[in-house]
Amino acid sequence: AFHAVSVVRSAILREWRDLPEESIKSIRMELLKMAVDTSTPTLTNASMQKQLVHVVAVIIKRGWTQNEEASTMQLLDQVKTMLSHKPIVQVLGLRLCFAVIEEIASTRSSALELSIEFHCKVRFSFQRACLKKLFLLMLTFMQSKVQNNVFDLQLLIPVLNVIHKILSWPFCDTPEFPVALRAWSGGFGEEEDGSKTFLEPGKDWADVILNPKVPLLQMLFGLYSQAPIRNDSTASHLVRESIRLLASLKGSIIPTYEKKLRAKYADALLQGTLRMSAQMDEKSPHIGTHVLDCCRIFDRIVSNYKFRFLADLTPRTAQVFLQYLGKTSCHLLTVSVQSDVETWHREAFDLALSIWSSILNELMFAKDEKAEGIRRVLSEYGGRITELYIQSRLKYASDEVKSGKEKEEQFHDPDYLDDHIDAIAELARTSPKKILTLLSELIHARTKLIAMAANSKGSAGSSS
């Protein structure tokens, strides 16, 4: 069956110019019918369905620029019809959306044996004419399920996949080939180098992303509060990743001069993520990815909206967030010290440390009264985290001396250490007297031990 579908794909692309439009449309419909033909189980399994909808997506992409408006209407009407059918057809419709977005996102010149200019042209055309309408269709479909308390993972995972894929779209505001290619050259929403990219769909997307009638952010947080979603590793990760992308929202859709709008949106993100962070059972097998993803969301909120902005406009929420970050940082340090293996706790602590560094760079020298409550929380947890970090480093060093081998390779990496020490030094400044006293005592104690060891060695040499 796989071979037959591949042959159909190759034949369509090879004979494209000579095939009548009606024949292409007929083949497209026949492939989708095959994917839901329950009388032939081979065709309806997930891998075969994926192959069939991929060929349909290739057909859609190949003919997209012949008539942009007709292509858009045909795709939207087809998806709407499929989403109004029984569940097996709904799932296929969602998989078709995903396949079309993924195929059109591709700019590989060899994909359809057409030029890179063709791929860029289709990509920009699809973004301009169809992407937002498809996104609204997905939101409306998901809202209908949430409002009717239908938390069927067979449906919700595919729709979350499509929503996440659209939010990951690397938006470009020009069809000019060289500029567009540079904008898309980094891949499909990827961050391979760990850099912070932002979601900038443009002002015309405000009516879908910030639409109070179809509240995406509220829906996602609501979904996460449901045990079937939260306890499924795929569904829960898709929800958290979509929220992280929404925390990256930037540009004309939510401009910096719209302070009330930005404050309201940022506060909803912060409060929602704080609630979400407390919802996962600590004994859950997914607790590691849950904590890591929550830290990534917080990191993105602080990077995008700036903590000082949040602290000025929503001081109470900002203090609660700092308390959460402080307790979490202490817990992560304590657990990582007790573990002999590399765990997610250390990666999460690195993220937490990055968040602390961003916050401290903004707030350390603030003098106004609004910052007073924030500074008290910083002083409380800054000292505790610094003390725990020093204790953990001393324990690692002691364990290495006793074992005679390196136990923590990362602590012998100068770059890794520099990043840590810089951030810890910033935290230490929030409680200088306490930390300087601690360091003085530790240095004095270890100097005394070194002296005792030297005297003992000297005495042993004299007696011999």
Side-chain angles (χ1 to χ4, degrees):
F2 275 101
H3 180 67
V5 174
S6 296
V7 169
V8 170
R9 177 187 183 279
S10 299
I12 291 171
L13 293 176
R14 186 177 60 251
E15 306 297 332
W16 183 271
R17 298 182 190 282
D18 298 322
L19 283 172
E21 187 177 333
E22 284 303 312
S23 296
I24 295 172
K25 189 175 180 180
S26 177
I27 294 169
R28 174 173 158 178
M29 293 303 298
E30 191 59 35
L31 288 169
L32 291 175
K33 285 179 183 177
M34 289 169 63
V36 291
D37 183 5
T38 53
S39 65
T40 313
T42 308
L43 295 175
T44 54
N45 69 56
S47 57
M48 195 65 226
Q49 270 197 354
K50 184 177 180 181
Q51 178 77 352
L52 288 165
V53 296
H54 169 69
V55 177
V56 174
V58 167
I59 293 172
I60 290 171
K61 180 173 182 177
R62 181 63 183 83
W64 188 267
T65 55
Q66 291 174 204
N67 189 326
E68 180 187 285
E69 185 178 353
S71 296
T72 299
M73 291 302 298
Q74 191 175 3
L75 176 60
L76 291 172
D77 288 345
Q78 188 166 42
V79 173
K80 284 177 186 175
T81 301
M82 295 175 82
L83 293 182
S84 65
H85 273 271
K86 55 187 179 181
I88 187 173
V89 182
Q90 291 177 349
V91 170
L92 186 67
L94 295 168
R95 286 179 176 163
L96 174 62
C97 286
F98 186 88
V100 169
I101 296 167
E102 190 168 52
E103 181 62 36
I104 289 179
S106 171
T107 52
R108 291 173 299 157
S109 58
S110 60
L112 305 180
E113 297 182 356
L114 292 164
S115 68
I116 192 72
E117 288 91 345
F118 169 83
H119 292 281
C120 286
K121 185 178 179 181
V122 174
R123 195 173 188 175
F124 184 78
S125 169
F126 183 78
Q127 175 187 306
R128 177 184 57 204
C130 190
L131 193 63
K132 189 173 85 164
K133 294 172 183 175
L134 208 55
F135 188 63
L136 182 58
L137 190 57
M138 294 299 106
L139 295 188
T140 305
F141 179 75
M142 186 168 75
Q143 186 182 44
S144 69
K145 300 302 175 187
V146 172
Q147 288 178 341
N148 292 307
N149 293 317
V150 178
F151 301 107
D152 182 356
L153 292 173
Q154 295 298 315
L155 286 172
L156 286 174
I157 288 177
V159 75
L160 284 168
N161 254 324
V162 178
I163 288 170
H164 178 260
K165 200 73 166 175
I166 294 174
L167 290 174
S168 303
W169 185 273
F171 289 89
C172 180
D173 59 2
T174 175
E176 295 299 323
F177 170 64
V179 179
L181 187 59
R182 281 197 298 273
W184 292 327
S185 62
F188 189 61
E190 296 174 355
E191 296 177 59
E192 293 180 0
D193 62 352
S195 62
K196 293 181 174 66
T197 57
F198 293 94
L199 174 61
E200 300 186 62
K203 193 173 183 177
D204 62 323
W205 275 72
D207 60 342
V208 288
I209 291 181
L210 304 176
N211 188 346
K213 293 181 180 178
V214 193
L216 175 56
L217 200 57
Q218 183 181 326
M219 271 198 288
L220 290 170
F221 284 128
L223 275 174
Y224 205 80
S225 68
Q226 302 298 319
I229 304 296
R230 191 172 60 252
N231 295 332
D232 181 85
S233 60
T234 302
S236 60
H237 181 63
L238 281 169
V239 171
R240 294 189 302 263
E241 272 295 285
S242 296
I243 292 170
R244 184 183 68 85
L245 288 165
L246 288 169
S248 310
L249 200 60
K250 203 171 185 178
S252 58
I253 187 173
I254 187 166
T256 53
Y257 60 80
E258 292 280 5
K259 288 192 175 182
K260 287 186 178 179
L261 176 62
R262 284 176 63 80
K264 183 178 179 181
Y265 186 76
D267 190 52
L269 274 168
L270 200 52
Q271 289 201 45
T273 309
L274 282 168
R275 287 193 303 271
M276 185 174 73
S277 66
Q279 287 171 342
M280 184 68 78
D281 186 342
E282 289 189 5
K283 296 180 181 179
S284 167
H286 315 309
I287 187 65
T289 53
H290 165 84
V291 174
L292 280 168
D293 285 347
C294 285
C295 285
R296 291 186 182 110
I297 295 169
F298 285 132
D299 186 39
R300 188 51 57 92
I301 293 171
V302 171
S303 299
N304 195 8
Y305 294 95
K306 304 305 177 187
F307 188 78
R308 185 58 198 267
F309 172 76
L310 298 169
D312 283 348
L313 294 168
T314 54
R316 178 58 190 154
T317 306
Q319 285 190 46
V320 171
F321 166 62
L322 280 184
Q323 289 167 347
Y324 164 83
L325 187 62
K327 291 175 183 176
T328 301
S329 301
C330 291
H331 174 71
L332 291 170
L333 261 178
T334 303
V335 174
S336 63
V337 170
Q338 295 169 352
S339 173
D340 290 330
V341 296
E342 181 65 31
T343 66
W344 59 264
H345 301 88
R346 293 176 193 172
E347 186 179 349
F349 178 71
D350 288 349
L351 281 166
L353 212 52
S354 172
I355 298 170
W356 280 117
S357 185
S358 297
I359 292 171
L360 289 164
N361 283 335
E362 291 183 56
L363 293 182
M364 200 60 232
F365 301 105
K367 301 295 184 183
D368 54 281
E369 292 181 5
K370 284 185 179 180
E372 190 57 39
I374 301 294
R375 279 200 297 273
R376 281 197 297 270
V377 179
L378 285 174
S379 178
E380 177 187 353
Y381 285 103
R384 286 170 61 183
I385 295 167
T386 305
E387 189 172 357
L388 276 171
Y389 183 82
I390 292 169
Q391 290 172 357
S392 71
R393 288 296 311 282
L394 289 174
K395 183 180 184 302
Y396 290 139
S398 176
D399 289 346
E400 286 192 0
V401 170
K402 290 175 182 176
S403 65
K405 59 182 180 180
E406 291 184 6
K407 292 177 71 67
E408 294 298 328
E409 184 179 337
Q410 61 188 9
F411 287 132
H412 295 270
D413 178 349
D415 293 333
Y416 181 84
L417 270 180
D418 284 347
D419 289 343
H420 263 208
I421 295 300
D422 286 347
I424 290 296
E426 289 172 348
L427 276 169
R429 291 190 193 105
T430 65
S431 190
K433 184 177 179 181
K434 178 181 179 180
I435 299 305
L436 286 173
T437 301
L438 172 65
L439 289 172
S440 177
E441 290 173 352
L442 289 171
I443 292 169
H444 179 73
R446 275 150 183 76
T447 303
K448 192 173 180 180
L449 287 172
I450 291 170
M452 289 172 61
N455 290 335
S456 176
K457 189 175 180 179
S459 300
S462 300
S463 58
S464 62

